[in-house]
Amino acid sequence: MRVRIRTFLPVVAAIVTGSALLTACNDDSGSSSDNTASPSPTMSAPAPSGTSAAGTPSASASSAGADSGTSGSPVTVNKSFTDDVMGEKATVLKYVSGYQPSAASKSKYSALSDEEVVLVEVKVTASSKYYDSFGANSFYLTGMPNGIDQASTTILDDEVKAAGYPPLPDAETGKTTTGWVVFTPGKDTKKLVLRYKRLAAKTSSGTSISAKNFDIPLN
């Protein structure tokens, strides 16, 4: 039986199945791989369904105009994880660590002068057990030396799309989508790791689901 997930606050979610209630909690006890305890939201606004084209930048990159960013070549990763408890699946296909935002973006977002822009292409499949969506806001980028989990950003979505890197659409219940997720780590960040966070939760009957991180090294 499928159940519905609703998010009321960034750290509070509920899963309802019949009379059972599964409530997210701010539990720091997840897996030993946790560096931070702040869970990501489990729901976001519906995005267009369907799967975007994978691969290297498309021909649109050459026609995007002088205001588009530039990048190096994507590096193949092809590593996957499956959350058997919640039913989420993801494959990290490629990443780009040398993306250079356009002059207009750098002018608009001054912090970009001190940050790298990393693009990660992922293929995600949302849970078939629960009514849920799975997208960019489920992912974080962490790395050395600071080990800080950084949330994805949408500030460059229009630009990277024009450059041939279509952003990742949310996958709705049981559906699969493919696209790119944008991160802006500090320029001193090394050993990049893509992290998916499972939210800690407890059912009304007392059954607990622990928080857990799923990590895929990019380099």
Side-chain angles (χ1 to χ4, degrees):
M1 175 184 295
R2 295 181 180 174
V3 297
R4 183 173 299 278
I5 298 177
R6 297 186 180 92
T7 298
F8 301 98
L9 293 173
V11 295
V12 180
I15 301 176
V16 180
T17 172
S19 60
L21 178 66
L22 180 63
T23 304
C25 53
N26 191 11
D27 182 359
D28 296 358
S29 63
S31 74
S32 59
S33 64
D34 287 347
N35 286 337
T36 65
S38 58
S40 63
T42 57
M43 280 289 289
S44 60
S49 60
T51 302
S52 59
T56 55
S58 67
S60 62
S62 62
S63 60
D67 206 28
S68 296
T70 60
S71 71
S73 299
V75 177
T76 299
V77 179
N78 281 339
K79 296 179 181 177
S80 303
F81 69 80
T82 300
D83 181 352
D84 291 326
V85 173
M86 300 301 293
E88 313 282 12
K89 301 178 183 179
T91 300
V92 180
L93 301 173
K94 302 172 185 176
Y95 80 98
V96 174
S97 62
Y99 185 85
Q100 295 297 319
S102 66
S105 291
K106 289 180 179 179
S107 176
K108 184 175 182 180
Y109 305 106
S110 59
L112 290 173
S113 61
D114 298 318
E115 297 169 335
E116 298 283 353
V117 177
V118 176
L119 313 179
V120 184
E121 187 185 32
V122 290
K123 178 181 179 181
V124 301
T125 300
S127 172
S128 294
K129 299 178 181 178
Y130 308 108
Y131 291 102
D132 194 9
S133 63
F134 186 14
N137 65 357
S138 299
F139 293 104
Y140 293 77
L141 192 69
T142 187
M144 299 300 292
N146 54 32
I148 296 173
D149 290 352
Q150 183 188 61
S152 60
T153 180
T154 60
I155 63 173
L156 295 174
D157 276 6
D158 289 342
E159 178 176 312
V160 298
K161 181 179 180 179
Y165 301 96
L168 176 69
D170 283 355
E172 303 301 327
T173 305
K175 302 298 184 180
T176 299
T177 62
T178 302
W180 295 82
V181 184
V182 181
F183 300 93
T184 55
K187 288 186 176 180
D188 61 342
T189 304
K190 309 297 180 183
K191 299 294 181 183
L192 300 173
V193 175
L194 187 72
R195 172 167 290 172
Y196 161 72
K197 291 185 177 183
R198 183 175 74 206
L199 195 66
K202 180 175 287 187
T203 68
S204 58
S205 62
T207 301
S208 295
I209 295 177
S210 63
K212 184 175 181 179
N213 291 343
F214 296 80
D215 291 353
I216 295 185
L218 300 182
N219 58 0

